[in-house]
């Protein structure tokens, strides 16, 4: 393939349909006869007034012998909130590849348990209410593919914020204006933290050592408690932020068995606990679950609060160990919230690794102007061969 010119095609925000890329969990389907033709349907969330839920889609694929379903939301969604997916359509005549925003949907076989039952009828009725007209779907997808002959559309100025990162301000003139503390810790929570964080505010070296032995707080929190400001007002503010960060990190560390407990966060005050569980977990019968999308969201909120605490320059070696997360994955999360990553070797005479190589410090910096890829999740690069 010759070197292609890449052009981005913006899709009308008012359109109900956009290109979707699907794959099947049980492998590629063979379409060697008319009886194997696949019929697709796309269903949207009925409440179009809900800004978050209106992006939800359910895709149905049917053959004569099987039905497949997949969603772009919920715990069974296979797409990552830290990625931006695009579909490339190459025109051999013009040697131009048009790039369209798209979504990945994984389809899996659906076992129908109640043929002809009331349950199935209710499900079918619900699907019919939310169904996108097949003709409309085919026409709009065709319009997208046939737009290769058109000039590049001007990208829309409005960028919808990803649900996996805190609300942000693209027009921020300083790093402090990109994210607001109130969007992470509500005013009501902050007021409660001022009362319950006094123990942290008044902690001395002996108390910190005791907490370290008890593993009461993450190491990142303990190291910051040890170097808090001597000024009372600022020290109280730092105590509130560090205590809330410890609550979020505790939630992140919970495993399947912990989430099955009646109270998975016994050390967290009731009001804050309710907010954290409702924001970063789902009810699942009598227990709770933290699907990947919400876990990614929780990591983003943890990192943004840590950036605020560290005044937007975060040496993330310690918090990486607390989260038990490999460097590449944590780096992707930091890029997703708008950080630039820099590396530096320790100076002469400093400690080295066991194999004699220099220790490399990695720092995440949030600054304005924000990186060009923000808020797409992470930089996207294309290579033409």
């Amino acid at each position: 393939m010759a070197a292609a010119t890449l052009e981005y095609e913006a899709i009308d925000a008012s359109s109900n349909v956009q290109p979707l890329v699907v794959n099947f969990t049980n492998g590629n389907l063979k379409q060697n006869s008319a009886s194997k033709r696949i019929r697709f349907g796309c269903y949207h969330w009925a409440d179009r007034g809900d800004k978050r839920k209106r992006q939800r889609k359910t895709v149905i694929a049917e053959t004569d012998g099987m039905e497949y379903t997949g969603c772009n939301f919920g715990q069974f969604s296979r797409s990552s909130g830290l990625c931006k997916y695009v579909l490339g359509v190459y025109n051999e005549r013009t040697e131009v590849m048009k790039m369209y925003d798209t979504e990945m949907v994984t389809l899996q076989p659906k076992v129908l348990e109640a043929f002809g039952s009331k349950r199935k009828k209710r499900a079918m009725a619900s699907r019919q209410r939310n169904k996108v007209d097949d003709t409309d779907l085919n026409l709009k997808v065709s319009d997208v593919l046939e737009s290769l002959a058109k000039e590049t559309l001007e990208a829309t100025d409005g960028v919808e914020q990803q649900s996996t990162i805190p609300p942000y301000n693209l027009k921020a003139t300083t790093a402090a204006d990109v994210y607001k503390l109130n969007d992470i810790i509500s005013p009501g929570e902050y007021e409660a933290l001022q009362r319950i964080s006094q123990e942290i505010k008044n902690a001395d070296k002996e108390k910190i050592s005791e907490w370290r032995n008890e593993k009461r707080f993450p190491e990142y929190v303990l190291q910051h408690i040890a170097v808090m400001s001597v000024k009372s007002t600022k020290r109280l503010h730092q105590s509130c932020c560090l205590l809330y960060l410890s609550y979020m990190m505790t939630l992140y560390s919970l495993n399947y068995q912990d989430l099955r407990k009646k109270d998975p966060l016994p050390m967290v005050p009731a009001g804050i606990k309710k907010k954290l569980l409702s924001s970063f977990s789902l009810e699942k019968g009598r227990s709770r679950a933290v699907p990947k999308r919400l876990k990614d969201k929780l990591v983003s909120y943890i990192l943004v609060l840590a950036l605020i605490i560290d005044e937007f320059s975060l040496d993330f070696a310690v918090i990486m160990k607390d989260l038990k997360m490999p460097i590449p994955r944590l780096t992707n999360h930091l890029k997703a919230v708008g950080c630039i990553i820099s590396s530096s070797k320790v100076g002469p005479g400093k400690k080295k690794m066991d194999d004699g190589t220099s220790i490399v410090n990695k720092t995440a910096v949030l600054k304005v102007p924000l990186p060009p890829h923000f808020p797409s999740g992470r930089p996207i690069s294309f290579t033409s061969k």
Side-chain angles (χ1 to χ4, degrees), residues 201-242:
K201 179 188 174 186
N202 299 326
D204 54 20
K205 290 183 179 180
E206 291 183 2
K207 195 65 177 178
I208 294 171
S209 178
E210 179 185 327
W211 286 341
R212 181 171 282 115
N213 292 332
E214 295 173 350
K215 296 183 178 180
R216 178 171 172 181
F217 295 108
E219 182 61 25
Y220 174 90
V221 173
L222 291 172
Q223 288 190 13
H224 282 70
I225 294 175
V227 294
M228 289 193 302
S229 173
V230 295
K231 296 181 179 179
S232 179
T233 302
K234 186 174 182 180
R235 190 177 181 89
L236 177 59
H237 173 73
Q238 292 172 323
S239 300
C240 293
C241 293
L242 289 169

Side-chain angles (χ1 to χ4, degrees), residues 137-154:
L137 174 65
N138 293 333
L139 287 174
K140 290 191 176 182
V141 173
S142 297
D143 288 342
V144 169
L145 297 178
E146 291 173 2
S147 65
L148 287 167
K150 298 191 305 180
E151 294 294 327
T152 302
L153 297 176
E154 183 178 353

Side-chain angles (χ1 to χ4, degrees), residues 15 29 34 91 95 107 138 152 219 223 234 302 336-337 363:
S15 173
L29 301 188
N91 187 318
E95 294 186 348
L107 301 179
N138 293 333
T152 302
E219 182 61 25
Q223 288 190 13
K234 186 174 182 180
I302 288 171
V337 298
T363 305

Side-chain angles (χ1 to χ4, degrees), residues 29-295:
L29 301 188
K30 296 180 180 179
Q31 299 187 68
N32 52 6
S33 66
S35 62
K36 294 292 185 180
R37 188 174 68 88
I38 307 174
R39 300 173 295 276
F40 288 91
C42 183
Y43 303 84
H44 282 265
W45 192 260
D47 183 5
R48 305 297 290 166
D50 189 315
K51 184 177 180 180
R52 180 174 61 88
K53 292 182 179 179
R54 70 185 180 192
Q55 302 299 327
R56 295 183 175 182
K57 300 181 184 71
T58 298
V59 177
I60 306 292
E62 295 177 335
T63 66
D64 291 343
M66 182 62 70
E67 181 175 313
Y68 302 83
T69 63
C71 302
N72 69 343
F73 63 92
Q75 59 181 316
F76 297 111
S77 171
R78 302 296 179 90
S79 60
S80 171
L82 296 177
C83 299
K84 180 177 182 179
Y85 299 96
V86 294
L87 172 67
V89 181
Y90 179 65
N91 187 318
E92 292 183 352
R93 180 177 58 82
T94 62
E95 294 186 348
V96 172
M97 179 177 284
K98 294 292 182 78
M99 314 303 295
Y100 301 91
D101 289 324
T102 188
E103 294 181 76
M104 295 286 292
V105 179
T106 299
L107 301 179
Q108 49 193 347
K110 179 178 178 182
V111 179
L112 299 179
E113 300 175 350
F115 292 95
S117 66
K118 292 182 179 179
R119 179 181 175 184
K120 182 180 179 182
K121 291 176 181 177
R122 287 197 301 269
M124 289 297 293
S126 175
R127 283 170 49 186
Q128 290 300 324
R129 285 195 301 270
N130 296 317
K131 187 175 182 181
V132 176
D133 183 78
D134 290 342
T135 303
D136 185 45
L137 174 65
N138 293 333
L139 287 174
K140 290 191 176 182
V141 173
S142 297
D143 288 342
V144 169
L145 297 178
E146 291 173 2
S147 65
L148 287 167
K150 298 191 305 180
E151 294 294 327
T152 302
L153 297 176
E154 183 178 353
T156 178
D157 291 334
V159 179
E160 184 168 347
Q161 299 188 8
Q162 296 184 16
S163 61
T164 54
I165 64 177
Y168 51 83
N169 177 16
L170 286 176
K171 298 180 180 179
T173 56
T174 66
D177 291 331
V178 178
Y179 296 103
K180 294 299 183 184
L181 183 63
N182 284 354
D183 290 323
I184 299 174
I185 307 174
S186 69
E189 289 175 310
Y190 190 83
E191 184 178 351
L193 289 166
Q194 288 180 306
R195 297 192 301 270
I196 59 181
S197 65
Q198 291 295 323
E199 187 179 18
I200 290 179
K201 179 188 174 186
N202 299 326
D204 54 20
K205 290 183 179 180
E206 291 183 2
K207 195 65 177 178
I208 294 171
S209 178
E210 179 185 327
W211 286 341
R212 181 171 282 115
N213 292 332
E214 295 173 350
K215 296 183 178 180
R216 178 171 172 181
F217 295 108
E219 182 61 25
Y220 174 90
V221 173
L222 291 172
Q223 288 190 13
H224 282 70
I225 294 175
V227 294
M228 289 193 302
S229 173
V230 295
K231 296 181 179 179
S232 179
T233 302
K234 186 174 182 180
R235 190 177 181 89
L236 177 59
H237 173 73
Q238 292 172 323
S239 300
C240 293
C241 293
L242 289 169
L243 182 57
Y244 196 86
L245 182 68
S246 74
Y247 292 155
M248 289 199 293
M249 294 178 74
T250 299
L251 175 57
Y252 177 82
S253 69
L254 297 182
N255 57 31
Y256 174 76
Q257 293 298 329
D258 295 327
L259 290 167
R260 287 178 59 86
K261 295 177 180 178
K262 184 176 181 180
D263 185 357
L265 295 171
M267 302 297 291
V268 180
I272 297 176
K273 181 191 310 182
K274 182 178 179 180
K275 153 76 175 307
L276 291 176
L277 291 176
S278 63
S279 299
F280 304 111
S281 71
L282 299 174
E283 288 190 35
K284 191 175 180 181
R286 296 183 178 179
S287 61
R288 305 195 73 86
V290 182
K292 184 179 183 302
R293 180 181 63 83
L294 291 182
K295 197 141 192 172

